[in-house]
Amino acid sequence: MLVAAAVCPCPPLLVPEVASGAAPELDAARDACADAVGVLAASRPDLLVVVGSAEHGGTFRQGAAGSFAGYGVDVSVRLGPGEPGGQQLPLSLTVGAWLLERAGWADVPVEGLAVAEQLEPGACVGTGEDLAARAARVALLVMGDGSACRTLKAPGYLDERAASFDEVASAALGAADTATLMGLDDRLAYELKVAGRAPWQVLAGAGSDAGLAGRLLYEDAPYGVGYFVGVWS
């Protein structure tokens, strides 16, 4: 059963070494992410699963490694303590592993789940239902950004539909509104470059019968990308 969830954005700029001189611009987001991970720890889960989107889906064992070398810094992380083996985490899970490492996460088993970016909503919901049944007390760290089309300088340029999409999504994340999350338009999300759509719908499936309350800790669109931090408990 799902007992807690944290929703965090997954830009590599969350890592101060990657952001370099621009690091202070995301201090509020980092602080909110730290608070959200604290809520997960306080829920005393039997299992934590880090969920994020990637080009291809897949599962990752505890100890799987990720790196920010592609962003010009020698920073590597592991998904919880353990032998790294041969698995390499995708970016969304690498950022999640960095958040956990920053928080000193060590006492609860952790796994990673990459959700294919274009996995259709029903399959995402079903995946979440399966995750919630994995243990008596399951927690999720859900990594994903909102639209990347909020301003002219955004990665996806300006799209007038982006702000309203993000408003609906952030409100649903803050209210633990699983029905609205399940109903997010996957085609529109793809057009708006929403990296969080599939992971959020996995969360909706996991939390559909959990009766959790939600709270939004952070909402902003630096660099023209929607970033949200929320907790369900």
Side-chain angles (χ1 to χ4, degrees):
M1 179 178 178
L2 184 70
V3 296
V7 176
C8 294
C10 56
L13 289 173
L14 272 183
V15 180
E17 291 90 339
V18 174
S20 188
E25 296 177 13
L26 288 180
D27 278 347
R30 292 185 194 96
D31 290 345
C33 288
D35 291 343
V37 171
V39 169
L40 297 181
S43 72
R44 296 177 288 108
D46 301 317
L47 171 67
L48 172 67
V49 182
V50 184
V51 181
S53 65
E55 184 177 357
H56 304 291
T59 57
F60 296 84
R61 297 183 300 274
Q62 181 163 311
S67 172
F68 296 99
Y71 297 90
V73 297
D74 184 20
V75 175
S76 60
V77 295
R78 285 190 295 172
L79 188 63
E83 295 299 321
Q87 290 186 301
Q88 290 294 312
L89 298 170
L91 176 61
S92 61
L93 301 187
T94 298
V95 177
W98 178 81
L99 289 174
L100 294 178
E101 198 168 275
R102 184 172 182 245
W105 191 279
D107 297 331
V108 176
V110 56
E111 300 175 5
L113 174 66
V115 185
E117 294 169 350
Q118 297 192 53
L119 188 66
E120 60 92 14
C124 292
V125 171
T127 297
E129 292 171 345
D130 291 343
L131 283 181
R134 289 280 312 278
R137 300 182 63 83
V138 175
L140 299 182
L141 174 55
V142 182
M143 308 299 299
D145 302 340
S147 69
C149 302
R150 293 281 291 273
T151 66
L152 291 173
K153 294 184 178 180
Y157 197 65
L158 176 64
D159 191 310
E160 298 294 346
R161 303 170 295 174
S164 59
F165 184 97
D166 282 353
E167 183 179 356
V168 170
S170 63
L173 292 168
D177 181 350
T178 58
T180 295
L181 292 173
M182 289 179 190
L184 291 176
D185 186 330
D186 57 323
R187 182 178 295 276
L188 177 59
Y190 178 76
E191 293 174 357
L192 296 176
K193 303 184 183 301
V194 179
R197 189 276 306 172
W200 297 339
Q201 289 181 324
V202 170
L203 169 61
S208 59
D209 296 321
L212 301 180
R215 181 163 51 100
L216 204 61
L217 305 182
Y218 175 89
E219 178 181 9
D220 202 355
Y223 318 115
V225 182
Y227 295 157
F228 320 125
V229 180
V231 292
W232 294 14
S233 61

